[in-house]
Amino acid sequence: MAGVVFALSSLLLLQTVSSCPKECSCDTHAKVVDCRGRGLYDIPRKLHQDTLELYLQNNRLRGLGSMSFRETPQLQILDLANNTITTLSPSALLGLKSLKVLSLANNSIREVDRRLLVSIRNLTILDLSFNTIGGLPGALADSFHFLTHLSLHYNRLTKLDRIHLEALGNLKVLQLKGNPWRCDCHLIGLKLWLETFAFKGGMVDSVTCVQPHLMLERDLRHIPYELFHSCMITSYSYLFANIHYLDNKHRMLSGQLHPSPRAPSGSDFSPPGEAILPECEAKQRSRPVNYRRAIATVVITGVVCGIVCLMMLAAAVYGCAYAAINAKYQRELKKKAKEAGSGEEREKH
């Protein structure tokens, strides 16, 4: 009996040892596999399926194929930093439903497919820094409801829609430094979101503008809203230009649908024995057209006035809301400063 037990134990031990790739070192108790700096070109095979942490940084990996980690479905930490990864299969991370931490920092990734994010919805930390990413997929907001740390610094982001960030309700730390931000009208939404995020206690490193020249090397969060006044003017100009275009188009269509024919005397279309009076006919034809034009002008003017009033009301509401949030934020800062000062005085006494 003792011999059978010994044989089974030896077999299990041999299986455990053989489940660790020769290029890596494994901690079977902690279920950690360390393959850092081994010059690997591919993901090692024969990994134990119970592996919880896999470290592959400082290698020569160039891409991740479909289901690259199918042997380790229970992974919670995956570090792929400091490789030369350029391509990511949309199904590369398929099956990693328990993944909490993912680092793809310092690679050569240009874009992230939205399908890549679907299978890793439980992430809490995502590091995409030091890549060449120029934009984020819209699925980011729908995929990472548990995300607390997001690193996007030193990429090629010029803008970032607030829709990517609003659904990240648990986000605590956001790193955006080192991107060529274009601080124009498209970044007003991000500016407002960053202020709200900071007021709630979130941490952001910096959003330093590169374009336009007026905003060069200025932090988006500290740029006064007065410098974005041209955005409102542009919106008005665009609105009125479209209304003018639609009005001209309406007049052209009215002229085509309601022509004012003037048949010459003696025309084949004239009933015999009847004389055509051009001046009377012109007046009879023009009155309905002018009437319709007048109605169209009144309607368009009313729409324009209504839209302008709504935009002015929205601007007023936004200004009041911003002032209230800023005032509350300043009160909180003063309160924290007083508490810190009183704490220091207590320590001295």
Side-chain angles (χ1 to χ4, degrees), residues 9-30:
S9 301
S10 301
L11 182 62
L12 290 174
L13 180 61
L14 180 63
Q15 183 180 0
T16 302
V17 172
S18 63
S19 64
C20 184
K22 61 181 181 180
E23 306 93 345
C24 310
S25 60
C26 303
D27 186 341
T28 56
H29 179 71

Side-chain angles (χ1 to χ4, degrees), residues 139-243:
L140 180 71
D142 300 328
S143 302
F144 299 140
H145 296 292
F146 303 103
L147 201 66
T148 59
H149 292 69
L150 178 59
S151 299
L152 297 170
H153 52 294
Y154 293 100
N155 276 280
R156 294 183 180 177
L157 297 171
T158 58
K159 64 179 181 178
L160 183 60
D161 293 334
R162 62 184 296 176
I163 192 173
H164 290 112
L165 304 170
E166 286 180 338
L168 304 179
N170 293 310
L171 193 64
K172 304 298 181 185
V173 178
L174 178 62
Q175 295 177 307
L176 299 173
K177 184 179 180 180
N179 284 283
W181 297 108
R182 182 176 179 82
C183 299
D184 54 13
C185 301
H186 296 288
L187 250 62
I188 293 181
L190 177 62
K191 175 178 172 63
L192 179 60
W193 183 90
L194 288 173
E195 292 173 355
T196 306
F197 181 65
F199 177 75
K200 293 179 179 179
M203 297 177 61
V204 181
D205 47 4
S206 65
V207 185
T208 306
C209 304
V210 175
Q211 295 180 358
H213 184 73
L214 179 64
M215 311 289 189
L216 183 63
E217 296 184 357
R218 301 184 66 174
D219 195 314
L220 176 66
R221 298 170 298 172
H222 304 146
I223 298 176
Y225 280 94
E226 289 78 6
L227 294 182
F228 291 98
H229 179 67
S230 60
C231 300
M232 188 65 69
I233 296 175
T234 303
S235 300
Y236 283 146
S237 301
Y238 179 76
L239 175 64
F240 283 111
N242 278 279
I243 291 174

Side-chain angles (χ1 to χ4, degrees), residues 15 17 21 40 61 100 109 111 128 130-131 135 165 185-186 210 230 241 258 265 270 273-274 279 281 306 314 344-345:
Q15 183 180 0
V17 172
L40 300 177
L61 302 176
K100 303 292 184 182
I109 302 171
E111 60 180 355
L128 295 171
F130 292 95
N131 281 282
L165 304 170
C185 301
H186 296 288
V210 175
S230 60
H258 304 283
S265 178
S270 302
E274 291 186 9
E279 64 279 2
E281 183 181 2
E344 292 179 358
E345 292 179 359

